[in-house]
Amino acid sequence: MPTMPFFPRFYSVLPKSNRFDYLLIKNNRRKARKNNLSEEVNRMKSKPVHPIRDIYPWKNKQQFVDHLAENVIYNKDGLIAINKPYGVPLLKDGLIKGPNEMMFSIEEALTPLASLLNVEKLLPAKMVEKFASGVSLFASQEKMVDKIRQSYITNKAKKIHTFKYLAVTIGEPKPSSSRGTVGMGFFEHQGIEGKLLAIMKDYSNRKVADGLVREFRVNYKTLSRGDEPCSLVEIDVSSAKKHFLRVYLAHLFSPVLGDHIFGNRVQEIMGKRLAISPLQADNLSIFQKIPAGILTRLKVTESCIVPNCLHLSQMTLAKFASQDSDLVLKADPPPCFQYICQTFGLDLPTDESVVLTRE
């Protein structure tokens, strides 16, 4: 006698009580899987996101535009100042190269951002570099761009340092504080193409006049040493063009943490941090070789994901508010910068966003 097939409908031949038990068990298992999945999703949602691994939290352009709008620190008479996020470029420079590259640019956000701020248009007037964060200026009309430019000229004439940066460095600058004029030129070496930026110890006025050396007025001090080996440094500077601050801090034996351009110019050799040739250093690695102890404390495994810890915390516009007062704009560091400071016990300064100073 042929046997009855035993597959999807096998429970139809079971006694009534057994069929009920089977369906009950199956339903309970389905509920259990659903509950376990919900619990896992909730755990993922409640688990704090690592600040360094979540530098770009925006999932679409609208979220990015909203973030910029939320970080407006000044909006008056056609001048808009925004605390620019780290890693955001003015222009999109091509294909996204990996998870540490930002998919949006300031340029593509200008039109929707202008609409949110109720202005006709936004013109970039002064942007902090891509791999830095902090005060960036925009204007809603051309004459405001000219007014900003005039403030820079006044700053230079009155020897007012336009920019104040915060930097987390590997090691402490030597000396720990200084004030003066620093020249930066090109390190040249026979047999190599191109020129490498370097701090010039001795140079003539002729080289300055010929544009071979550029002078920068600098005033820096170590704000906090915290736990070794990192320090928090504040730098007042007349200009930060040509990566001057990165080159200068490396020259002081304290490269910026996460500086993947000039950060290898200081290396630990037999327990001591020593400067090495720019030629050798700039070809040492694509990324800064961050000491393993620092990576461990930051809870990351690769140097490449550590951001360049340089933040433009203050910008001064001389005689901008009126003929007898300067406009000082201030911005807090981004979460990743604050996380790094907290990790190494570095005390960040606290201050208000906008200040009018009287002469």
Side-chain angles (χ1 to χ4, degrees), residues 91-320:
L91 306 174
K92 188 173 289 185
D93 56 0
L95 298 176
I96 303 303
K97 302 177 180 62
N100 295 327
E101 289 286 338
M102 176 60 183
M103 67 176 67
F104 306 116
S105 67
I106 293 293
E107 180 191 35
E108 61 188 308
L110 290 178
T111 299
L113 182 58
S115 179
L116 273 180
L117 299 179
N118 296 316
V119 295
E120 184 179 347
K121 60 182 177 179
L122 281 176
L123 305 171
K126 183 61 179 179
M127 292 285 300
V128 67
E129 68 165 285
K130 176 180 178 179
F131 291 111
S133 56
V135 183
S136 295
L137 303 183
F138 300 83
S140 61
Q141 45 193 314
E142 292 287 352
K143 65 179 183 180
M144 184 54 65
V145 176
D146 295 334
K147 187 176 180 180
I148 293 170
R149 190 175 295 116
Q150 184 57 49
S151 286
Y152 288 156
I153 295 172
T154 305
N155 282 354
K156 185 175 181 180
K158 298 178 64 176
K159 296 186 178 180
I160 295 175
H161 291 183
T162 306
F163 309 102
K164 178 178 288 186
Y165 280 83
L166 292 174
V168 176
T169 63
I170 300 176
E172 183 182 355
K174 297 181 180 180
S176 60
S177 63
S178 181
R179 179 190 299 267
T181 300
V182 177
M184 184 175 74
F186 295 103
F187 173 86
E188 300 184 53
H189 191 275
Q190 187 176 4
I192 66 168
E193 295 183 4
K195 301 175 181 179
L196 304 177
L197 292 169
I199 300 300
M200 302 286 103
K201 294 183 179 180
D202 298 306
Y203 58 90
S204 64
N205 292 333
R206 169 55 60 184
K207 286 193 173 183
V208 175
D210 292 343
L212 299 176
V213 173
R214 179 166 183 166
E215 292 186 315
F216 298 80
R217 298 190 309 277
V218 189
N219 175 22
Y220 76 85
K221 60 181 177 181
T222 302
L223 291 181
S224 180
R225 293 176 178 82
D227 301 331
E228 292 292 347
C230 292
S231 300
L232 178 65
V233 182
E234 181 182 81
I235 315 105
D236 288 316
V237 63
S238 57
S239 173
K241 290 184 177 181
K242 302 294 185 182
H243 300 299
F244 168 71
L245 289 180
R246 299 188 191 212
V247 177
Y248 185 48
L249 286 169
H251 174 76
L252 299 174
F253 295 90
S254 57
V256 178
L257 176 64
D259 178 4
H260 301 299
I261 301 178
F262 304 101
N264 284 328
R265 292 190 176 190
V266 178
Q267 292 292 314
E268 188 170 304
I269 302 174
M270 299 183 66
K272 293 184 178 181
R273 297 193 62 76
L274 302 173
I276 63 176
S277 165
L279 176 63
Q280 180 183 1
D282 293 357
N283 291 280
L284 185 62
S285 171
I286 297 176
F287 301 104
Q288 183 183 35
K289 297 184 68 176
I290 299 174
I294 293 179
L295 296 179
T296 299
R297 292 190 62 177
L298 292 177
K299 299 179 182 179
V300 297
T301 57
E302 299 175 324
S303 295
C304 63
I305 71 170
V306 178
N308 180 46
C309 294
L310 194 61
H311 174 72
L312 178 54
S313 62
Q314 179 176 305
M315 186 184 298
T316 301
L317 300 176
K319 294 185 179 295
F320 189 89

